[in-house]
Amino acid sequence: MEAKFEDYWEELRNEIISELPSYGNMPQEGIDWIERCINYTVPGGKMNRGKSVLVSLQCILKRELTEDEIKKANILGWAIEWLQALFLVSDDIMDASITRRGQPCWYKNEDVGLIAINDTLILESCIYKLLKKYFRSEKYYIDIVELFHEISYTTELGQLIDLITAPENKVNLDKFSMDKYIWIVRYKTAFYSFYLPVALAMIMAGIDNEQSLKVAKDILIPLGEYFQVQDDYLDCYGDPKFIGKIGTDIQDNKCSWLVNQALKICTPEQREILNENYGQNDPVKIQKVKDLYKELKIEELYKQYEEESYQRISDMISKVDPNVVSPDVFTKFMNRIYKRTK
């Protein structure tokens, strides 16, 4: 029976932990700390990013994969989950978040605090430890290492612009714009969530030419953009029972798709309502923003955007040359997120 994605977790975690004593007889408390941090921050969530590597490889090769190919694809998937973990730990510190995946954020543990900053650096190093262990003999080793470095950098750039555009407790809606929103979304989310899993699968399959990777990027980045707009919509209009959390974008001063749409079409009087109420953790003010969204028919605008995005991206997929890269890989992503409710 084919091993599931989760089945590789213990081997990879143990690989990292078992090597630690070789660092000058590292004190046991340090080994215990790293193991606890990894266990707390890496597994969990839906793990769609990690699982997408194997799915993409199957779509691309269109044959039964070997045991080695399945294992390597899943290891690359776990490397993405390690990357996701370090982004979430650092993001939670910067956003002063309280919970993550139903438990206190890692830095919120009483004995952790800002030690978590160093932990994010350790989590990042684990990625390259795993890549070296399992891929050093592969001809594409340097390609995947460079890809992880490049995608990490693009994500960090996106996070920077997000942070300086919409700092908490310092609301300035003049800094918001739809162009800036799209840039943040593409760099902060789309590259590592959508392009990275497919690009890794393509490189594994020997499809590493610039033309093919560009075709993938040209479709997957808009898909990631669409996914994030969905997230923004669900934050305000989704059912907390399905999405697993209560939306906080309004009070957190997020540069979201919803507020940018509102800023584009509101009257000066309506703009003043946003100025007075957005980015403040007050239930009355939050409701005033939601009432304004209703008045401006933002929900209807989203549904129009969703259909237009689906048609536009589907049209792009239909024009992909199967000899360049299999269009099935993009169709699977689209089918997974179209009209999602969580």
Side-chain angles (χ1 to χ4, degrees):
M1 188 176 78
E2 183 179 308
K4 295 188 297 185
F5 181 71
E6 293 83 355
D7 294 341
Y8 295 91
W9 163 245
E10 284 194 20
E11 177 186 346
L12 299 180
R13 180 201 57 204
N14 293 344
E15 175 63 35
I16 295 295
I17 301 305
S18 65
E19 191 191 39
L20 290 172
S22 68
Y23 285 85
N25 295 318
M26 183 177 184
Q28 187 61 43
E29 62 183 328
I31 296 171
D32 293 343
W33 181 283
I34 292 172
E35 182 170 14
R36 176 183 159 211
C37 171
I38 290 172
N39 284 332
Y40 198 94
T41 62
V42 179
K46 297 185 284 292
M47 298 188 288
N48 284 331
R49 294 170 181 84
K51 293 176 181 178
S52 294
V53 181
L54 179 61
V55 172
S56 299
L57 187 64
Q58 289 168 327
C59 287
I60 292 165
L61 293 179
K62 294 186 180 299
R63 60 166 170 78
E64 189 170 334
L65 302 182
T66 66
E67 188 176 321
D68 186 61
E69 287 170 334
I70 291 169
K71 180 174 182 176
K72 282 188 162 63
N74 280 313
I75 291 171
L76 288 175
W78 274 110
I80 296 176
E81 292 300 322
W82 242 280
L83 187 68
Q84 163 83 337
L86 75 93
F87 287 152
L88 294 183
V89 172
S90 59
D91 194 59
D92 287 342
I93 298 170
M94 289 181 272
D95 288 349
S97 298
I98 306 299
T99 60
R100 169 70 67 180
R101 294 172 175 169
Q103 61 183 355
C105 298
W106 173 241
Y107 85 99
K108 275 294 186 182
N109 283 267
E110 190 174 343
D111 60 332
V112 178
L114 293 184
I115 297 173
I117 296 172
N118 192 63
D119 293 335
T120 66
L121 303 177
I122 292 173
L123 288 169
E124 181 176 37
S125 294
C126 290
I127 296 169
Y128 300 101
K129 286 285 183 186
L130 293 174
L131 296 183
K132 182 179 179 181
K133 165 74 176 179
Y134 292 98
F135 295 92
R136 192 177 187 184
S137 62
E138 298 290 344
K139 62 181 180 180
Y140 55 79
Y141 172 60
I142 192 62
D143 293 327
I144 60 175
V145 169
E146 288 185 346
L147 182 62
F148 268 98
H149 279 307
E150 184 62 24
I151 297 302
S152 297
Y153 187 53
T154 60
T155 307
E156 290 150 9
L157 294 177
Q159 173 73 341
L160 170 66
I161 302 305
D162 190 22
L163 289 167
I164 63 178
T165 298
E168 281 198 68
N169 304 320
K170 194 172 182 181
V171 183
N172 181 0
L173 298 180
D174 289 335
K175 299 182 78 170
F176 289 10
S177 74
M178 190 54 70
D179 286 344
K180 191 178 284 187
Y181 169 78
I182 296 300
W183 195 92
I184 291 169
V185 164
R186 289 184 172 186
Y187 279 79
K188 183 180 176 179
T189 301
F191 273 98
Y192 93 93
S193 299
F194 285 80
Y195 177 65
L196 178 58
V198 176
L200 287 170
M202 290 172 69
I203 291 170
M204 262 195 78
I207 306 172
D208 56 0
N209 61 83
E210 286 300 318
Q211 180 196 3
S212 298
L213 290 169
K214 184 179 185 305
V215 168
K217 189 180 296 182
D218 287 348
I219 293 173
L220 292 163
I221 299 307
L223 255 175
E225 175 189 322
Y226 164 45
F227 175 85
Q228 185 59 53
V229 173
Q230 280 182 321
D231 249 22
D232 292 356
Y233 168 78
L234 292 171
D235 185 89
C236 185
Y237 295 102
D239 187 333
K241 288 186 295 185
F242 290 122
I243 62 176
K245 63 178 182 177
I246 297 171
T248 60
D249 281 1
I250 293 173
Q251 57 264 47
D252 289 347
N253 188 35
K254 291 295 184 182
C255 180
S256 79
W257 187 86
L258 305 180
V259 72
N260 277 294
Q261 287 293 330
L263 288 167
K264 273 171 50 177
I265 60 176
C266 66
T267 66
E269 292 76 19
Q270 291 168 328
R271 169 63 183 254
E272 197 54 38
I273 293 173
L274 283 172
N275 288 338
E276 291 174 357
N277 297 284
Y278 198 76
Q280 299 180 58
N281 195 9
D282 177 335
V284 174
K285 294 188 173 187
I286 293 167
Q287 190 58 50
K288 284 184 179 179
V289 174
K290 290 186 175 183
D291 290 343
L292 180 59
Y293 285 170
K294 187 173 183 179
E295 188 179 324
L296 293 171
K297 299 184 177 178
I298 300 298
E299 187 170 12
E300 287 84 344
L301 285 174
Y302 167 76
K303 289 176 178 175
Q304 179 183 338
Y305 165 86
E306 179 165 53
E307 291 307 316
E308 289 174 352
S309 295
Y310 178 77
Q311 293 302 327
R312 176 172 53 86
I313 298 170
S314 295
D315 185 55
M316 292 168 68
I317 295 171
S318 71
K319 293 175 181 174
V320 172
D321 182 350
N323 295 315
V324 175
V325 61
S326 172
D328 292 349
V329 67
F330 310 120
T331 303
K332 279 191 179 292
F333 270 96
M334 175 60 88
N335 291 343
R336 195 175 74 205
I337 67 174
Y338 180 52
K339 288 190 179 295
R340 70 186 176 98
T341 57
K342 60 182 179 179

